[in-house]
Amino acid sequence: MNTILAASFLIGGLSAVLAALIVVVDGIVNNYGEVKIDINNGKKELKVNGGASLLTTLSEQGVFIPSACGGRGSCGACKVKVLSDIGPILPTEAPLLEEDEIKQNIRLSCQVKVKSDIAIEIPEELFSAKIFKGVVEKINDLTYDIKEVKIKLIEPNEIEFKAGQYMQLVIPPYEKINEYTQRAYSIASSPSQKDSVEFFIRLVPGGIATTYVHKYLKENDQMELVGPFGEFYMRNTDADMICVAGGSGLAPIKSIVADMFERKITNRNVWLFFGARSLKDLYYVDFFQDMEKKWDRFHFVPALSEPEPQDNWKGETGLITDVLGKYFKEKMDQNTPKEGYLCGSPGMINACIKVMTENGISEDKIYYDKFA
C-alpha cells in the first residue's frame, strides 16, 4: 500500500513539474512581443502583446467581433478580412468558410493567432459594439421551453440598435462549466425601449447558456451583454415583406414589426408566418392578432404542423413551408416586389428559401438568421 502511495505521489509530482515546464517553455517559445493591429486602413491602430487569438486580443482592446460559440470555432460568426499574409487557411476554419470568402482572405478571428503585425478589415458598425452591465428585471415563461428575459441596462444605461440585431449574453461558470461563455440571442424588444433589452430563449438540451437561463438565472441577477451585432434588419424599400419564424426565432421579427408600427412604416404589406408543432408551442399570438387590427397591411399566419386533438385548432395546419407556398399562390399579389425575412433552424430556413425562390423572390432579397 505504501509503495503504491509513493508511486502515486511520484507520478503526481512529475505531472505537476511537467505542466509547469510546459507553461514556462510556451512562454519563452511563444513570446511574440509587441505587435500592431491595423484596422480598416488606419481607422484604428492597436499595439498589443502577441500570442492570443485575434478574437480575444481585439475584445481585450474594446473591439468586439461577434462570436455565437464563444470563440470555439464552431459558429463561423467571427469572420474578418485579413489584408496581410498570415499563412494558409487552417483545417478548423475551412468548413465554415465559403469559397468566395476564402478567395477574399476572410478568416475566423478565433482561429487566427496574433504572432506579428496584422492588418484587417471589419464592418464599421462593430466599432459601436460595447459591453453592457445590467440586471434581470423580469423572467416570464412564454411556453414550456421558451423564457422571455428582460434585462434593465445599468452601465451604459441606454442602447442604440437596429430592430433585428442580436447581443451576446455572458454566462458565468456553473456546475461543471468552469469558464465564462458567450452565446448570441436576438433582441425581441423595440429599439425605442432604450433602457432595457428583451430576449426569447428556448431551452436546448445540453446547451450551456440555455441551461443556465432556464435553471439558474433569477430576477435581480446581474448580467453582462456584448453588442449589438448583426445584419438582419429591415431594408428600406417598398417591397412586400414575407417573414417566417420558428420557435424563439420570433424574437427579431417581433422587434422589426413593432419598430415599423411605432415609426409608422405601415405602407408596406407584411406577412408573418409563425410555425409551431402544437398549440403549446405558440406564443405572442394575441400581440400579433392585435397588431393586425391596428395595421391593415399586416397579416399574421400561425400554423401548427402537428396539432393535438385537445387544441381544437381552427387555423392553418401543416409544415410552415407548405402554408407559405399556398399563400404565395392564393393570397399574395403576384405583381408586387417581395423580400424574405427568415429566422429559425437551418433546415427551416433552407426549405423556406426554396419556396421563396420558386415564387419569384431572388436569393439576394432573402435575409435570415440561422440558429446554430
Side-chain angles (χ1 to χ4, degrees):
M1 187 66 162
N2 289 339
T3 305
I4 294 171
L5 282 172
S8 298
F9 281 125
L10 180 61
I11 293 168
L14 285 172
S15 298
V17 171
L18 209 57
L21 189 59
I22 289 170
V23 170
V24 171
V25 171
D26 185 63
I28 296 169
V29 174
N30 296 328
N31 181 11
Y32 299 105
E34 186 178 86
V35 300
K36 184 176 75 173
I37 302 175
D38 181 306
I39 307 175
N40 293 8
N41 295 310
K43 174 75 181 282
K44 193 177 187 73
E45 287 191 357
L46 306 173
K47 290 184 177 179
V48 300
N49 290 322
S53 74
L54 181 59
L55 178 70
T56 299
T57 304
L58 289 173
S59 67
E60 288 173 350
Q61 299 296 316
V63 179
F64 300 103
I65 308 297
S67 172
C69 67
R72 287 177 169 79
S74 61
C75 71
C78 65
K79 295 172 182 176
V80 300
K81 184 172 185 177
V82 177
L83 305 178
S84 10
D85 182 9
I86 59 168
I89 299 287
L90 300 174
T92 49
E93 298 177 90
L96 297 168
L97 296 171
E98 302 290 339
E99 190 175 335
D100 62 327
E101 289 178 325
I102 292 174
K103 289 178 182 176
Q104 296 174 52
N105 210 25
I106 304 295
R107 304 290 296 265
L108 298 187
S109 59
C110 69
Q111 300 300 300
V112 171
K113 198 168 186 178
V114 179
K115 301 178 181 179
S116 58
D117 291 354
I118 183 173
I120 62 172
E121 274 186 10
I122 62 174
E124 290 287 326
E125 57 265 25
L126 291 185
F127 288 122
S128 62
K130 304 172 185 173
I131 294 180
F132 290 82
K133 294 182 179 180
V135 62
V136 179
E137 191 169 62
K138 187 173 93 173
I139 300 176
N140 179 40
D141 288 331
L142 296 178
T143 71
Y144 64 96
D145 67 347
I146 298 178
K147 288 186 182 289
E148 180 179 38
V149 179
K150 181 177 182 180
I151 299 175
K152 183 173 179 58
L153 302 176
I154 305 299
E155 184 186 341
N157 61 4
E158 288 193 347
I159 185 172
E160 298 279 347
F161 68 94
K162 291 181 181 179
Q165 289 189 300
Y166 67 90
M167 299 193 77
Q168 292 175 185
L169 271 60
V170 181
I171 306 300
Y174 72 96
E175 289 184 0
K176 295 181 180 178
I177 309 301
N178 299 318
E179 57 187 7
Y180 283 86
T181 308
Q182 293 188 24
R183 290 294 185 271
Y185 294 98
S186 296
I187 303 171
S189 46
S190 169
S192 64
Q193 184 178 303
K194 296 182 183 296
D195 64 346
S196 60
V197 284
E198 297 171 12
F199 305 92
F200 300 161
I201 301 178
R202 186 175 72 85
L203 179 62
V204 177
I208 293 174
T210 65
T211 299
Y212 177 79
V213 168
H214 278 254
K215 288 182 63 176
Y216 297 99
L217 190 66
K218 301 290 186 292
E219 291 178 357
N220 298 316
D221 282 356
Q222 294 184 347
M223 285 289 289
E224 283 192 353
L225 312 92
V226 183
F229 301 113
E231 303 294 320
F232 185 69
Y233 49 79
M234 181 198 75
R235 268 51 182 184
N236 291 315
T237 71
D238 292 324
D240 292 353
M241 296 173 60
I242 317 301
C243 309
V244 186
S248 57
L250 190 62
I253 293 176
K254 173 189 173 283
S255 179
I256 289 171
V257 168
D259 180 54
M260 291 177 69
F261 185 76
E262 288 173 7
R263 295 197 287 138
K264 296 182 169 52
I265 306 174
T266 53
N267 60 312
R268 302 174 68 170
N269 287 311
V270 178
W271 293 83
L272 170 52
F273 296 85
F274 183 30
R277 179 169 293 176
S278 63
L279 193 61
K280 67 181 181 181
D281 299 295
L282 281 182
Y283 61 98
Y284 261 88
V285 172
D286 291 345
F287 175 88
F288 290 111
Q289 287 179 339
D290 185 55
M291 184 76 73
E292 272 190 308
K293 296 173 185 174
K294 299 174 182 175
W295 180 359
D296 61 359
R297 293 195 172 202
F298 177 73
H299 314 279
F300 177 55
V301 185
L304 301 183
S305 60
E306 300 175 23
E308 302 286 347
Q310 62 269 26
D311 290 343
N312 295 315
W313 180 247
K314 306 299 183 186
E316 296 290 345
T317 58
L319 294 175
I320 197 65
T321 45
D322 295 336
V323 176
L324 177 64
K326 182 177 84 170
Y327 272 68
F328 264 114
K329 291 175 173 61
E330 298 178 5
K331 304 282 188 180
M332 297 180 195
D333 186 342
Q334 302 296 314
N335 299 313
T336 58
K338 297 177 179 63
E339 297 170 345
Y341 293 83
L342 315 173
C343 191
S345 68
M348 186 208 81
I349 286 178
N350 292 337
C352 286
I353 290 173
K354 185 174 184 293
V355 173
M356 288 184 168
T357 54
E358 288 173 350
N359 285 276
I361 304 181
S362 60
E363 200 158 342
D364 65 334
K365 298 296 182 185
I366 301 174
Y367 312 101
Y368 51 84
D369 258 358
K370 284 185 182 180
F371 297 160

